[in-house]
Amino acid sequence: MKADDVEFLVGMAVQLDETIRKLVIDEQEIFEKLGDARVQELKEFWNQELTAEEEQDFKRSLDYWDKILMRTWANAQRARQTRAQVGQTLMKLNSHL
């Protein structure tokens, strides 16, 4: 792999780390807006712990901040997965040097 490719991956890792930190801060701010009880309900929904009937009822109760929190969780999950892949790629490259 070329030096430019490695530099790109390192830059990507740094950018993903920054994104993850920002998303964690955003998540905490939303937690404060929603309160512990609602966050717990959303976690149960997110983790698919509700029955089909409970899920349908719950979906009807979702408001703006609920949806923003779930979008934040989805973005954080995707960023963490991508960051892990970048890290694995860099470790493989380092093992070949």
Side-chain angles (χ1 to χ4, degrees):
M1 193 173 255
K2 296 185 221 174
D4 288 346
D5 295 335
V6 173
E7 186 178 327
F8 172 78
L9 288 172
V10 169
M12 187 177 189
V14 169
Q15 188 174 27
L16 285 164
D17 289 341
E18 291 174 17
T19 298
I20 292 167
R21 275 192 290 279
K22 182 188 178 309
L23 289 167
V24 167
I25 291 168
D26 292 349
E27 178 185 46
Q28 290 304 314
E29 290 173 357
I30 298 168
F31 280 3
E32 291 175 16
K33 292 178 189 303
L34 293 174
D36 292 336
R38 186 59 176 175
V39 169
Q40 184 58 39
E41 291 172 344
L42 288 163
K43 284 180 181 179
E44 290 172 7
F45 175 73
W46 180 259
N47 293 325
Q48 300 176 338
E49 298 171 0
L50 304 176
T51 65
E53 185 177 315
E54 289 172 331
E55 185 177 323
Q56 290 300 320
D57 290 340
F58 190 78
K59 283 181 181 179
R60 286 188 220 110
S61 73
L62 294 174
D63 70 5
Y64 174 80
W65 287 110
D66 296 338
K67 293 174 184 176
I68 293 295
L69 179 58
M70 287 189 292
R71 187 180 73 197
T72 301
W73 284 341
N75 289 339
Q77 183 179 40
R78 193 169 33 257
R80 286 182 181 109
Q81 288 171 344
T82 304
R83 177 60 178 93
Q85 291 171 340
V86 169
Q88 289 170 352
T89 301
L90 286 170
M91 287 189 303
K92 287 177 186 175
L93 289 173
N94 284 336
S95 71
H96 290 91
L97 296 178

